[in-house]
Structures are given as structure tokens and as C-alpha cells.
Amino acid sequence: MNSAVASAWLPGGAGAAGEGAAVRLFCFAHAGGGASAYRPWRAAAPPGVEVRPVVLPGRESRVRELPFRRVEQLLDPLCEALEPFLDRPYAFFGHSLGSLLAYEVARRFSAGPGRGPELLVVSGRRAPRLPTDRRLFSTLPDAEFLAAMAGLGGTPPEVLGEPQLLNLMLPTLRADFELNETYRPLAGPRLRCPIAAYMGADDPEVSAPELLAWSGETTGEFTMRVLSGGHFYLKDEPDDVLGAVRQDLARVLDRDHTQPRLAA
């Protein structure tokens, strides 16, 4: 894959830690989200952590591209774009829909010939093999769909108040919810790397038992954290979330003495 195509998926050049980073943290956003969801993280990243947000087709600089509607169709081009950046220890963070994408990418690279990820952090979503009794959003009429988005709290009020902007975003939002709601785990073994699972204490989209079930997706260590807030707790308390990520990364890297350690 040429550098121009790869940079569409990973825009913005080097992260806050630059080329001296001990670990790259690839971040996958919620439905409709992109690099902007993790912009504060890039500026506030702990020493040694390079934050690399992933931008999928259909949003931000890629708004004119058609969004994917099935995970199995997205996975090949996504992994191809990330592969040139796996030249140092790396980890994945995904929130909500992003948890599924981070999980499947982690599985793909764990099963490959190269070194797999050091850590997978999933946030704000039930484990992938659990059924759900929650309502489907992707098939709702426009007015109900937008009301549901507003209720989740991830769409800024200024966007909800701009009909033209909403019309531009609506196809991608619907595609993302279809991506999430039609997803079934792909064939393959469990992960070998540790999983850390996070949620907001007041998140209506995931319960503690549903988050705990992520423990069955790895043969490695599992940790779980419940932070204050709702479904988008990470927007309200970014320092707390980044601190938790740093602790989990440091624990994993410090255990493997062949890896560089994070600065104290």
C-alpha cells in the first residue's frame, strides 16, 4: 500500500511521542467518529506512547468515500494500511463500535507471522459473542435515528442543530450502526495478548457482566475498569482514561524485559 493511501487511514504524521515512542497505540472511534475523537489524547499522551487514531472511509477527510457496512469487508484494507506501522511494540484501543474493529484487527495480527499486539483495550461494548436484546438503530426512521444518537450523547449539539451537516453524516452513521448490528465474530482462535476492558459506570449500552465476558476472548491476562460517566465517559474524563491506559500498557511492557519500558 502506498504512503498516500496509508496516511488516509492514519492521518496527522507522527504522534506526540514521535519516532522515539516505546509503543504505538492505534485508536478506533465510536460510530461516526474519526481522528478528532482522539485529538486530545495525542496532545496529552503519556511519555513513550504514540497515539495513532484510525480514520475509516466516510468520515472527516474521507467523507466522500463510501463507508463499509460489514466487518469482513473492512478488515483486509484496514489491516493492510496498519501493517507498515507495526515496526515497534503496539496496542489497540477501541470504543463502542471501535472495540469490535480493534478486536478483529488484533486477532488478525496475533494469528500472523509477525509479533502480535501487546495489549487490546476495549471500551463501552459488550463482549463480541454475547447476544443482545437492545433495539436496532440502523433501521430506524431518520427522526428516530437522530433522536437515538442525541440520547447516547456522542454527537455534539452544534452538529444536531445543523440539518445540512446531519444529512452529510447520516449515511455514514447508519452504515456504522449496520456494521455493528450485523457483526458476528470471524473464525479464528482466541487472542494471546492481554485484554483490558473499560466502561462508564452509568453506560446504558453495556453492563458489568457483559464487559466481564471479554475475559473469554483471550488466553492472556484480563483486567476490567469501571470509570465514572456514561457511554461517552472517555470524552468527559480523558485524563483518567489515558492514565488507566498508561498503567495497563506499562504493566504489560514491564513484564516483558525484551521491550522498552514507559517513562515513569
Side-chain angles (χ1 to χ4, degrees), residues 197-220:
Y198 301 175
M199 65 176 287
D202 301 317
D203 190 342
E205 294 301 308
V206 61
S207 67
E210 289 174 326
L211 193 74
L212 183 62
W214 278 100
S215 62
E217 298 301 325
T218 183
T219 60

Side-chain angles (χ1 to χ4, degrees), residues 66-229:
L66 289 177
F68 285 88
R69 296 178 179 272
R70 296 292 184 273
V71 171
E72 55 269 28
Q73 296 168 351
L74 169 61
L75 197 58
D76 282 350
L78 173 54
C79 289
E80 186 181 357
L82 295 182
E83 194 164 9
F85 297 88
L86 308 184
D87 58 343
R88 69 190 61 203
Y90 65 95
F92 297 112
F93 181 98
H95 179 66
S96 199
L97 168 66
S99 293
L100 297 182
L101 304 182
Y103 165 68
E104 288 294 353
V105 172
R107 292 177 76 204
R108 170 72 64 89
F109 288 131
S110 291
R115 187 181 183 96
E118 303 299 325
L119 175 69
L120 169 65
V121 185
V122 293
S123 167
R125 197 193 188 279
R126 67 188 184 280
R129 299 179 200 280
L130 294 182
T132 180
D133 57 1
R134 291 172 177 79
R135 59 179 175 167
L136 300 181
F137 286 170
S138 61
T139 57
L140 291 173
D142 285 354
E144 293 180 40
F145 180 81
L146 292 173
M149 297 304 96
L152 287 174
T155 307
E158 56 270 24
V159 173
L160 292 171
E162 289 289 341
Q164 288 185 325
L165 186 56
L166 277 177
N167 287 336
L168 185 65
M169 294 177 59
L170 197 55
T172 294
L173 282 168
R174 282 196 179 279
D176 276 2
F177 274 90
E178 186 176 337
L179 194 76
N180 181 61
E181 291 167 357
T182 60
Y183 167 77
R184 300 295 181 272
L186 305 183
R190 288 190 294 169
L191 285 167
R192 300 189 302 270
C193 70
I195 293 179
Y198 301 175
M199 65 176 287
D202 301 317
D203 190 342
E205 294 301 308
V206 61
S207 67
E210 289 174 326
L211 193 74
L212 183 62
W214 278 100
S215 62
E217 298 301 325
T218 183
T219 60
E221 176 185 303
F222 175 80
T223 57
M224 176 173 157
R225 297 177 184 265
V226 180
L227 294 93
S228 62

